[in-house]
Amino acid sequence: MAEPIRSILVVGGGTAGWMAAAALKTATGPHCQVRLVESEDIGIVGVGEATVPTIRDFNRMIGLDEVAFMRETQASLKLGIQFVGWGAESSSYFHPFGAYGAGRELGDFHQVWLSLRARGLASGLDAYSLCTRAAFAGRVGALNPDPRSPEALIPAAFHFDAGLYAQHLRRFCEARGVERVEGRIVDVAQRPDGFIDHVRLEGERTLSADLFIDCTGFRGLLIEGALKAGYEDWSHWLPMDRAVAAPCAKAGPITPYTRATADAGGWRWRIPLQHRTGNGYVYSSRFLDQEAATARLLETLDGELLAEPRHLCFVTGRRKAYWDRNVVALGLSSGFIEPLESTSIHLVHVGLNRLLQHFPDSGFSPGNIAAYNRRVGRDVEQVRDFVILHYHLTQRRDVELWRYVADMPIPDALAERVELFRERGILSPQSADDYFSPTSWLAVMIGQGVQPRTHNPLYDLNNPTTQAARLKQVETAFAEATTRLPLHEDYLRAAGMAAPA
């Protein structure tokens, strides 16, 4: 029988590397040696992060204390994303993390809403999202243990400093027995069968392991440099290939949401933390040059510039294999989808969850590896398609970029989902593993101006007066519940964190 995995080497630090070390050490305990090698001479890409609610699942899985985590990473809460200028140039909508409705409607809430809206008996979609109401009121709330409470409908993620998160995870890992090795890798040695045998550092030290986790960023030192896994380029669907990032001083209350503002050559992010605001411009070099992008970003800051702008280059896509022989790629080593929906850390978490589900022994079953690659591939493609959706649905035709993305062909699976909604307002996940719920798809579809031609006729059989009264009750309950929630700054203060100025 094959022997169990006794040693794991995480190659590369940063958020992905230390997440991998934390998850794998938590899962294997004293039965497996976990080491991480990184060089302080090699910087990390992290420029400040917005996340999705699964970050809380990951932190709980490894046993992080949430208050300590928030304090040490300068974190704030995030209830969703405000999209400005993505439909029409003057439009704005909110993608909430929480669901629409109270969760007690017969069938699909949005079909009830579409039926009543066609009769003029429903308010705008935001009225039925407690998450949206709270976000714009600057209020937040912990999950209420009573599922009947409206406050139970406010899941939250975080904004935090990615560099501080990596440091926090490093301390967590080292306290639990993960060995950190400082050094720059100068060579990767393979066995005759192509498996990685060891890496060699400057100074001739070598590090061997049964399983290697590649967290070396875009270069993919193991998965691509040694194993030549190949890369699938998605820039024909997602043409953004550059970003410039710059932090600025806080200005006003810390809003509990990210803002993504469409611009001439791409879009700008705004991510509020406790101690500063993260800003960036993601753009396509085909339609905008670096100098113009930087100037545009700096002129839109709402506080004093705190550091020189940082510039990043990338190609949206993925490795053709996330796991090859005894190497698993995570984070930027596995591919990159632009940060429009804040999914980078989520996909690291997904890759780790799948790895734990498909954890190998020394036999490294090809069937197990193939299943992992298929499952992670579907996870990533679903995120890809949801991000493409934002570009595809734009009504803007003011500049060349927006004309290109509006008219470009899109993946067949995405085209089918869009057409189903246009025709009948149908929102159905492709699979049970689809991270983005019908709520997310509805927010973007309606927010960017897609109006279904009709809706499910079953919902027209209900008494519209009764249905409208029920929706009004939800609207009123959410309005009242919002006033009971704490202000974001009060929440931070109560948790023992520094209150904003």
Side-chain angles (χ1 to χ4, degrees), residues 222-422:
L222 304 184
I223 195 72
E224 190 62 40
L227 300 185
K228 311 298 182 189
Y231 196 79
E232 187 175 323
D233 187 338
W234 289 339
S235 57
H236 52 296
W237 290 317
L238 294 168
M240 307 305 164
D241 60 358
R242 300 286 188 275
V244 53
C248 73
K250 295 182 307 186
I254 305 174
T255 54
Y257 56 89
T258 301
R259 181 179 300 136
T261 303
D263 212 302
W267 61 275
R268 293 178 279 112
W269 79 69
R270 181 182 183 277
I271 300 175
L273 283 70
Q274 291 183 43
H275 62 315
R276 61 170 171 79
T277 301
N279 308 276
Y281 196 150
V282 179
Y283 62 99
S284 171
S285 60
R286 292 168 53 188
F287 303 104
L288 194 69
D289 62 40
Q290 178 175 297
E291 183 178 354
T294 305
R296 178 60 175 158
L297 174 63
L298 295 181
E299 73 183 20
T300 56
L301 299 182
D302 55 15
E304 177 187 359
L305 181 67
L306 297 179
E308 288 300 309
R310 292 181 56 193
H311 300 276
L312 305 171
C313 301
F314 53 87
V315 177
T316 298
R318 68 170 182 190
R319 300 291 171 200
K320 291 182 179 178
Y322 302 100
W323 183 348
D324 189 350
R325 285 162 275 199
N326 63 338
V327 173
V328 177
L330 291 173
L332 300 178
S333 295
S334 68
F336 184 72
I337 296 177
E338 63 160 271
L340 184 61
E341 281 285 350
S342 311
T343 51
S344 292
I345 286 179
H346 167 69
L347 289 176
V348 176
H349 182 194
V350 165
L352 285 167
N353 272 353
R354 298 293 190 215
L355 177 58
L356 296 178
Q357 293 162 358
H358 291 265
F359 199 75
D361 56 30
S362 61
F364 286 95
S365 161
N368 184 48
I369 293 173
Y372 174 92
N373 283 323
R374 284 194 301 272
R375 294 184 72 186
V376 174
R378 285 196 297 268
D379 294 326
V380 175
E381 287 177 0
Q382 288 163 357
V383 171
R384 175 202 69 189
D385 286 358
F386 188 65
V387 174
I388 293 171
L389 180 74
H390 299 67
Y391 291 99
H392 173 67
L393 295 185
T394 186
Q395 300 172 36
R396 298 181 61 157
R397 299 294 187 274
D398 52 314
V399 292
E400 186 179 358
L401 167 66
W402 297 106
R403 291 192 291 271
Y404 169 80
V405 296
D407 297 335
M408 67 183 178
I410 60 175
D412 291 343
L414 175 58
E416 180 181 352
R417 292 180 78 151
V418 173
E419 184 53 34
L420 277 172
F421 186 76
R422 287 189 191 278

Side-chain angles (χ1 to χ4, degrees), residues 29-47:
H31 306 290
C32 185
Q33 177 193 52
V34 178
R35 293 182 292 177
L36 183 147
V37 58
E38 65 177 345
S39 171
E40 292 184 355
D41 295 333
I42 300 175
I44 61 172
V45 172
V47 291

